[in-house]
Structure formats: structure tokens, C-alpha cells
Amino acid sequence: MLLNDPVVLENAHVRLEPLTPAHTDDLTAAREGLDYAWYTSVPASVGEEIAHRLGEHAAGRMNPFAVVAGGRAVGMTTYCNIDEAHRHVEIGYTWLSPAVQRTGVNTAAKLLLLGHAFEACDAIAVEFRTHWHNRQSRAAIERLGAKLDGVLRNHRLGPDGTMRDTVVYSILPHEWPAVRLGLQRRLARG
């Protein structure tokens, strides 16, 4: 299986399904209250963001998912920077409704994405990137069990012209069993 193949991933906590325009209304409602997050990519227009991600999927660079919990789309996540030849992928462009933050939704989604990448797609590295100032995201990535690879200083320009330092983490196949067990234990604790 390829990292860019459309697939539905599901466990008892969350369902990840291929992103489509049919998710627009749920995701527009889900993004309410996220304007505080200047350091992350929360779409101003959900419809435009869905179109962009579907275009990236068609080009083979991204595999976008709607994060569904309680029967409604509550966020987005993707496999991005897909490098099929080298079996390398990044999990990113993730945002979740404030209503499901600090619940098991993100943990359950990452368990599914990592499991699919390592077990079905034979990935040799799964990467995570975030803004230096996004301490919430950095802490969540570290709780997953990802290791810090480094910081790309002045890596990108933000929409407002500020410079972004990007923090890079990864998980490798030999680390996956311990990471999987940690995620499963966190979900079992509720």
C-alpha cells in the first residue's frame, strides 16, 4: 500500500476518512475558537483549505484526512511531504476543534496514522514538524514518543512576515512498538 492511497482508518475513539468537500460544514463549525493560534495553520476558509489539500493529494504530495469523532468532522490531519521512493512521510497540518483538544482524539488519530505508515506502508521514518512557539504541539509530539531531530532556524516566513523556526521530530520503525504501546496505554487510561 502507498502512503498516498485513500484509506479509512478507524478505532474505538476516532475515524480518519479521506477529506472531501462534504466535510466543509462540520469543519467550519469545528474551527470556531481557534483564532488564538497565530503559530499554527488553521484555515480561514475551510472550503479553500479542502480544495488546496485535495490538489496536493492529486499531485502526490499529501494524503488529507477528516478527523471524525462523535459522528462529526472535528478537525483535519494529513500525511504530507510524502516521499514514496524513500518510504518517508510527515504527519502534519493537523488542527482539532477546541471541543476535542485534551481528549483521546489526537492520541487515537496518531495511533492510526503511525500504525498505517509503519505496518501497512513500511515507512522507514515518520516526521512531525511544528512552530517553535507552538508549545502545546511540541508537548503533544513529545508525549507521542517522537525524538527531537533539530530546529530549522528561520525556516519559513509566516503569513504576517515573521520568521518561523521549525522544530523537527521523528519516529523510526524500531521505536514504533514502544510508541504504539505508550499510545495504547494512554487511551486505555481514558
Side-chain angles (χ1 to χ4, degrees), residues 131 156-164:
H131 194 295
R156 292 195 332 214
L157 282 171
D160 60 357
T162 58
M163 298 302 292
R164 171 185 158 140

Side-chain angles (χ1 to χ4, degrees), residues 7 9 30 47 78 93 95-96 100 109 123 127 139 182 186 190:
V7 63
L9 305 172
T78 70
Y93 298 96
W95 63 267
L96 295 171
V100 297
E127 188 175 280
R186 281 176 50 204

Side-chain angles (χ1 to χ4, degrees), residues 86-110:
H86 298 284
R87 300 188 340 252
H88 188 274
V89 67
E90 177 185 343
I91 295 173
Y93 298 96
T94 301
W95 63 267
L96 295 171
S97 166
V100 297
Q101 291 178 11
R102 292 175 178 66
T103 70
V105 169
N106 189 49
T107 301
K110 295 304 190 283

Side-chain angles (χ1 to χ4, degrees), residues 118-141:
F118 287 123
E119 296 165 15
C121 299
D122 201 26
I124 62 170
V126 176
E127 188 175 280
F128 301 86
R129 294 179 175 215
T130 192
H131 194 295
W132 173 264
H133 290 290
N134 192 342
R135 298 197 189 286
Q136 180 179 341
S137 180
R138 288 171 57 188
I141 292 167

Side-chain angles (χ1 to χ4, degrees), residues 27-96:
L27 292 171
T28 298
R31 77 162 302 289
E32 291 301 317
L34 290 174
D35 294 326
Y36 71 89
W38 63 269
Y39 44 72
T40 191
S41 306
V42 178
S45 167
V46 170
E48 288 175 14
E49 182 64 17
I50 290 172
H52 168 73
R53 291 185 190 207
L54 293 178
E56 290 294 294
H57 181 257
R61 293 185 291 263
M62 182 179 278
N63 192 354
F65 296 91
V67 179
V68 178
R72 299 182 59 87
V74 295
M76 296 184 195
T77 193
T78 70
Y79 284 143
C80 53
N81 295 319
I82 295 171
D83 184 347
E84 293 284 1
H86 298 284
R87 300 188 340 252
H88 188 274
V89 67
E90 177 185 343
I91 295 173
Y93 298 96
T94 301
W95 63 267
L96 295 171

